[in-house]
Amino acid sequence: MSPLQMINRYLVRYRDLSGATLEGCVYASDAMEARDLAREFTAELRQRPNLIRAILRVH
């Protein structure tokens, strides 16, 4: 299996500090990597990773 076949699209759903639900998509090899990428790109998640509500693999 080539490395490109092992990459999946993940939807990361989280709440901001006001309680609004936001979503972002990342490409990662697993859910943990998707969480790490979402934290890297979003300052709120970097400071408060418990704001993440769901990490869903999208087909």
Side-chain angles (χ1 to χ4, degrees), residues 16-29:
D16 65 8
L17 296 177
S18 68
T21 300
L22 304 169
E23 296 178 340
C25 286
V26 296
Y27 288 90
S29 58

Side-chain angles (χ1 to χ4, degrees), residues 2-34:
S2 75
L4 289 178
Q5 292 173 329
M6 295 189 306
I7 300 295
N8 295 297
R9 184 174 160 207
Y10 287 88
L11 175 73
V12 180
R13 187 174 294 147
Y14 62 97
R15 293 191 186 269
D16 65 8
L17 296 177
S18 68
T21 300
L22 304 169
E23 296 178 340
C25 286
V26 296
Y27 288 90
S29 58
D30 58 27
M32 295 303 287
E33 184 181 10

Side-chain angles (χ1 to χ4, degrees), residues 32-45:
M32 295 303 287
E33 184 181 10
R35 181 198 65 173
D36 293 342
L37 288 170
R39 288 182 65 198
E40 184 177 322
F41 294 122
T42 308
E44 286 178 328
L45 295 180

